Amino acid sequence: MKKFVKFFIVIVFAATTINVFGQSNNYPFEVKISGKGNQSIIFIPGFACSGKVWDSTKLIFEKEFTCYTLTMAGFAGVPAQPKSSFQSWEKGIAAYIQENKINKPIIIGHSMGGGLAMALAADYPELISKIIAVDALPCLSALMNPSFKSKETNDCGAMASQITSATNEQFYQMQKQTIPRLLADTSKQELVVNWSVKSDRTTFAEMYCDFSNTDLREKITTIKCPALFLLESYFVN
C-alpha cells in the first residue's frame, strides 16, 4: 500500500510539473532555432507573415550567430491563442529571452515586428543588445494623422466583425489587392497573400486594430541600446 501511495504521489507531482512547465512555456509564437554562435539574433516578421520571410537573410548570419526565428500565434498557419495583443506579445518575447537565458540578443523586426523590437528595447533594456527595425514606425496611425492619440479603451469589435464575416474569397481578394504595393519582389505576392489567408481571422482583425492604436513615439525616446531604422521612402515625411 505504501508503495502504491508513493507511486501515486510521484505521478501527481509529475503531472503537476508538466502542467506548470507547459503553461510557463506557452509563448505567443512558434520559434525555429538555427545556426551556432555566442551572439544570438531574434527575427520577428511583419504582420500576418511567416518567419520564413527571413530565410534568405538568415543564411548570411547562421554561420556566426544563433538565430531564433518567430512566427506569431495566429499568423501564417500557427495556432492562435486567446486574448492576443501587442503588449502580450512583447511580454511573451521578453519571457522567452529570460527563461531560455538568451544573453543580450540582437532583435531584428519588420513592420509590426519592428514595433515589437522598439518596445522591447524601451521596456527591457537589460535584455537587449541592439535592434534593427525594417519599415517599422513607432505609430502607424500617425503616418496619416500626425496628431493621432491612442485610446485607453479601444473597441476592436467592429473591425473584427467586418474581417471575420468576409468570405474566404473576399478576404483573399482583399489581401491580393493590398499586398503588391508592400512588396519589392512581386514574384512573392502569392506566397505572402497565402500567409494572410492562413492566418486566424480573429487574430488578424484584433491585432491590426490593436497595432493601429499603438503609439510608441514617447516610449522610444528612452531606448539606450544602438538602434538602426531602415525605411522605404514611402514612410519618410
Side-chain angles (χ1 to χ4, degrees):
M1 182 67 180
K2 289 182 179 179
K3 288 182 179 180
F4 175 79
V5 170
K6 287 180 180 178
F7 178 74
F8 178 77
I9 291 172
V10 169
I11 291 297
V12 170
F13 175 76
T16 304
T17 303
I18 289 170
N19 187 44
V20 168
F21 279 106
Q23 289 178 3
S24 66
N25 292 337
N26 192 25
Y27 303 111
F29 50 81
E30 175 186 274
V31 59
K32 293 188 177 180
I33 305 172
S34 60
K36 291 183 178 180
N38 293 328
Q39 176 67 63
S40 297
I41 300 175
I42 296 178
F43 291 96
I44 311 175
F47 187 85
C49 284
S50 165
K52 291 180 180 179
V53 74
W54 295 111
D55 280 357
S56 59
T57 305
K58 283 193 304 177
L59 290 175
I60 302 171
F61 295 101
E62 286 174 334
K63 292 180 181 178
E64 298 182 13
F65 296 84
T66 300
C67 300
Y68 298 81
T69 307
L70 313 185
T71 302
M72 305 312 296
F75 285 167
V78 172
Q81 292 184 2
K83 298 181 180 179
S84 293
S85 69
F86 183 86
Q87 189 173 51
S88 70
W89 283 4
E90 178 198 350
K91 288 180 178 179
I93 296 170
Y96 182 82
I97 294 170
Q98 292 169 317
E99 292 172 15
N100 289 277
K101 296 179 172 58
I102 304 173
N103 184 37
K104 293 278 189 177
I106 300 167
I107 310 292
I108 303 180
H110 170 248
S111 186
M112 178 187 277
L116 287 165
M118 295 180 214
L120 285 161
D123 292 334
Y124 301 92
E126 74 285 359
L127 295 183
I128 312 300
S129 64
K130 60 187 70 173
I131 65 169
I132 300 174
V134 183
D135 284 346
L137 297 173
C139 182
L140 183 65
S141 293
L143 188 64
M144 301 298 178
N145 177 17
S147 61
F148 170 82
K149 291 186 178 180
S150 59
K151 302 172 185 175
E152 287 189 17
T153 304
N154 189 38
D155 184 6
C156 294
M159 181 176 290
S161 177
Q162 181 181 7
I163 293 177
T164 56
S165 63
T167 65
N168 290 338
E169 179 60 24
Q170 288 171 335
F171 185 71
Y172 172 81
Q173 292 299 331
M174 179 176 70
Q175 293 305 296
K176 193 172 181 179
Q177 291 175 7
T178 302
I179 296 298
R181 61 189 176 87
L182 303 177
L183 296 176
D185 182 358
T186 54
S187 70
K188 304 293 185 183
Q189 175 181 322
E190 199 63 23
L191 176 65
V192 178
V193 169
N194 283 333
W195 287 340
S196 290
V197 171
K198 289 179 181 178
S199 296
D200 175 70
R201 203 77 69 79
T202 299
T203 303
F204 186 103
E206 291 179 349
M207 288 305 299
Y208 185 81
C209 179
D210 190 41
F211 187 51
S212 296
N213 190 51
T214 298
D215 188 348
L216 305 174
R217 285 176 291 183
E218 184 175 344
K219 185 188 288 286
I220 62 172
T221 62
T222 66
I223 293 177
K224 297 294 192 293
C225 72
L228 174 63
F229 295 87
L230 303 174
L231 294 172
E232 291 283 348
S233 58
Y234 171 80
F235 293 100
V236 180
N237 289 326

